[in-house]
Amino acid sequence: MKFGTNLYKFIHYGDDIAGLREFVQTSETLGYHHVRVLDHVVGIVAEKHGGTWKYHSKTTLREIFTLLGYLAAITQRIRLVAAVVVLPMRPTALVAKQAAEVDILSGGRMTLGVGVGYSTVEFEALGASYADRGRRMEEQIDVLRALWTQDCVNYRGTWHTLRDVALAPLPVQRPIPVWFGLGSEARPIPPDPVLRRIGRLGDGWLPLFQPGDAAQAAIATVHAAAREAGRDPAGITMELNLAVADKSRAQLVDEIRRMQDFGAKQVNVHFPATSARDEIEGLQRFRDVMDAF
């Protein structure tokens, strides 16, 4: 079992770069496999748009590829996971270039997590179409992989035309792994078309569900789509989320073993924290649980 962590709560900790840096370097020192970084370009001014927004103009939303490049320079082993880039609101060739550069700077430690996004306001701000984002993202992944692996790319699709172009330099990983983020806290089981997309195209996925009958059915849909596409479902890695909260070591070990039996190969650990210092102390305490695996 591989264990990772994330910078998700750091958006609430303000401009604490020193704490962020210490957290990531401590994760590496303690043997965590990867760290996740989230992506939003603009925050919603909540009082102007109404409703409840998890990521808004009062949260510290760092530019994802710039941050990943910084983390590449201050680490040596830990994998760097974009989780997730809202791919359809970004130019595909530019994402290919940015991800390739992070992969080169990190010595081949980049994982590109992608998702379709949910904020029409953010899509509008970036001048991107929202309605066709799912189908467009599938084509984007084809283009990304072509740009990461070929010395000369020619591609004509519904949304992309590339004529005799290439990235220089190419990434270390050819191609960079593409993982899918999907679902929401309110609806952790996504629709079948989303699940089938993972089976056809994904190297891994980051579902929000926990082990159970509905989740088992979702996994079966992913695996069936993989087989239909001529792919081995065993090659699609699933990572589940673990909330540490106030659980005992025995409870955490038992929960992780259930995830492992359910097919998860990786676990992303979330600590109860209100500051970078809390997060770092959570890393240190959880290290004892990791020793059981």
Side-chain angles (χ1 to χ4, degrees):
M1 181 64 77
K2 296 175 180 177
F3 295 92
T5 188
N6 59 79
L7 296 174
Y8 294 166
K9 286 187 179 178
F10 278 75
I11 62 171
H12 303 300
Y13 304 156
D15 195 29
D16 188 3
I17 289 294
L20 184 152
R21 179 173 60 244
E22 183 180 355
F23 174 81
V24 174
Q25 291 177 322
T26 301
S27 298
E28 180 173 76
T29 299
L30 292 174
Y32 287 82
H33 176 259
H34 62 273
V35 60
R36 291 189 193 177
V37 180
L38 63 80
D39 171 45
H40 282 282
V41 177
V42 295
I44 306 300
V45 181
E47 58 268 28
K48 299 292 185 179
H49 289 279
T52 301
W53 299 87
K54 188 173 183 179
Y55 307 108
H56 50 78
S57 59
K58 300 292 194 299
T59 52
T60 305
L61 299 168
R62 302 192 182 279
E63 201 288 309
I64 189 168
F65 289 107
T66 306
L67 178 57
L68 288 169
Y70 172 74
L71 297 181
I74 64 169
T75 58
Q76 295 181 322
R77 299 178 304 279
I78 195 166
R79 285 198 68 85
L80 307 174
V81 182
V84 297
V85 168
V86 184
L87 188 57
M89 70 182 187
R90 291 175 176 266
T92 311
L94 179 59
V95 172
K97 182 70 172 179
Q98 291 169 314
E101 191 65 22
V102 172
D103 196 56
I104 293 163
L105 293 173
S106 66
R109 291 185 282 132
M110 174 76 187
T111 296
L112 182 67
V114 298
V116 296
Y118 62 86
S119 172
T120 56
V121 177
E122 192 169 12
F123 270 75
E124 182 180 50
L126 273 79
S129 171
Y130 184 82
D132 58 5
R133 67 198 190 283
R135 290 179 293 118
R136 193 167 76 254
M137 188 172 75
E138 295 192 14
E139 186 172 295
Q140 286 182 288
I141 291 169
D142 288 340
V143 173
L144 288 173
R145 286 175 170 151
L147 287 168
W148 288 333
T149 58
Q150 298 176 25
D151 293 324
C152 182
V153 177
N154 283 278
Y155 186 98
R156 183 176 294 277
T158 303
W159 294 277
H160 298 79
T161 299
L162 289 82
R163 292 186 295 118
D164 299 319
V165 298
L167 295 184
L170 289 170
V172 175
Q173 301 174 100
R174 301 180 189 175
I176 294 169
V178 175
W179 288 49
F180 283 83
L182 66 160
S184 65
E185 292 176 0
R187 297 182 61 191
I189 306 294
D192 280 1
V194 176
L195 296 168
R196 289 195 292 270
R197 182 183 298 142
I198 297 164
R200 292 195 309 273
L201 299 172
D203 297 306
W205 56 315
L206 309 165
L208 295 177
F209 56 61
Q210 293 295 304
D213 292 343
Q216 188 64 66
I219 293 170
T221 300
V222 170
H223 288 183
R227 286 189 290 269
E228 289 169 8
R231 307 179 69 211
D232 181 0
I236 305 173
T237 303
M238 182 174 67
E239 176 172 307
L240 296 181
N241 291 290
L242 175 70
V244 172
D246 58 354
K247 299 167 189 171
S248 69
R249 182 183 188 277
Q251 288 173 317
L252 291 167
V253 169
D254 182 62
E255 191 168 344
I256 295 164
R257 284 181 177 151
R258 287 200 305 274
M259 292 179 178
Q260 196 169 35
D261 292 342
F262 198 67
K265 296 179 182 177
Q266 298 184 181
V267 170
N268 193 256
V269 187
H270 299 255
F271 305 110
T274 58
S275 68
R277 178 51 49 193
D278 290 345
E279 301 272 4
I280 293 163
E281 291 173 359
L283 288 172
Q284 295 165 336
R285 288 192 301 271
F286 189 77
R287 186 66 185 82
D288 182 54
V289 176
M290 290 166 60
D291 287 340
F293 297 88

